């Protein structure tokens, strides 16, 4: 199962990236996350972890598996029967704006069932995150 959301933001990649990687502040700009705690201090990097609490979902620990500064990061969360991978990509546009592409995919024995049960919720959360990131980034 794969879910996606995208938006264009009237802010440059540096501004959007700064908002995106400040994970503990996510609850300030998206109602899809009520609590976000980093597992360790310092900048987001491969191997870094964060624990997210989201309405209607169990808290999950995410581990960064890929990161390219000011371009993208990917993290995964494992629960029994399901591995969830979330992608966060920034694409600079010629006019100084930024295109954001968010995606979440699931694999594992229970992925199909979870996708059917929670698919609409996942889609809504991705949309809230894209829209919230746009609003926060455009505030400057």
């Amino acid at each position: 199962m794969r879910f996606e959301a995208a938006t264009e933001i009237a802010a440059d990649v540096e501004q959007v990236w700064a908002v995106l990687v400040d994970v503990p502040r996510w609850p300030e700009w998206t109602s899809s996350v009520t609590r976000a705690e980093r597992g360790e201090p310092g900048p987001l990097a491969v191997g870094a972890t964060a624990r997210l609490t989201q309405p209607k979902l169990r808290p999950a620990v995410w581990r960064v598996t890929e990161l390219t500064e000011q371009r993208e990061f990917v993290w995964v969360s494992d629960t029994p029967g399901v591995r969830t991978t979330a992608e966060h990509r920034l694409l600079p546009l010629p006019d100084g704006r930024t295109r954001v592409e968010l995606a979440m995919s699931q694999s594992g024995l229970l992925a199909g069932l979870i996708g059917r049960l929670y698919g609409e919720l996942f889609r809504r959360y991705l949309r809230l995150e894209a829209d919230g990131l746009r609003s926060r980034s455009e505030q400057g």
Side-chain angles (χ1 to χ4, degrees), residues 18-30 33-44 49-52 75 136:
V19 173
L20 182 62
V21 298
D22 190 0
V23 175
R25 295 185 75 175
W26 285 16
E28 295 175 13
W29 53 261
T30 180
V33 177
T34 55
R35 186 175 176 106
E37 303 165 282
R38 285 286 311 278
E40 53 285 307
L44 202 62
T49 61
R51 184 175 193 267
L52 299 184
W75 59 11
R136 175 56 62 98

Side-chain angles (χ1 to χ4, degrees), residues 26-34 53-55 124-125 128-129 132:
W26 285 16
E28 295 175 13
W29 53 261
T30 180
S31 59
S32 66
V33 177
T34 55
T53 303
Q54 298 182 273
R124 191 169 98 235
Y125 283 3
L128 286 168
E129 290 168 23

Side-chain angles (χ1 to χ4, degrees), residues 1-4 54 56-58 60 62 74-87 103-123 125-126:
M1 306 297 288
R2 184 174 172 89
F3 308 95
E4 300 176 338
Q54 298 182 273
K56 301 182 183 180
L57 298 173
R58 290 179 173 240
W62 295 84
V74 177
W75 59 11
V76 299
S77 179
D78 291 307
T79 57
V82 181
R83 169 172 268 209
T84 304
T85 302
E87 305 165 20
M104 188 188 86
S105 57
Q106 294 182 309
S107 59
L109 188 61
L110 299 177
L113 175 63
I114 297 299
R116 284 190 294 282
L117 291 174
Y118 291 95
E120 286 307 310
L121 182 68
F122 296 154
R123 284 183 191 90
Y125 283 3
L126 284 172

Side-chain angles (χ1 to χ4, degrees), residues 8-10 16 32 35-36 46 52 59 66 68 79 86-87 89-91 96 111 119 125 129 136 138:
E8 293 186 3
I9 299 175
V16 179
S32 66
R35 186 175 176 106
V46 171
L52 299 184
E66 300 173 41
T68 302
T79 57
E87 305 165 20
R89 290 198 170 78
L90 305 184
L91 305 164
Y125 283 3
E129 290 168 23
R136 175 56 62 98
E138 289 178 351

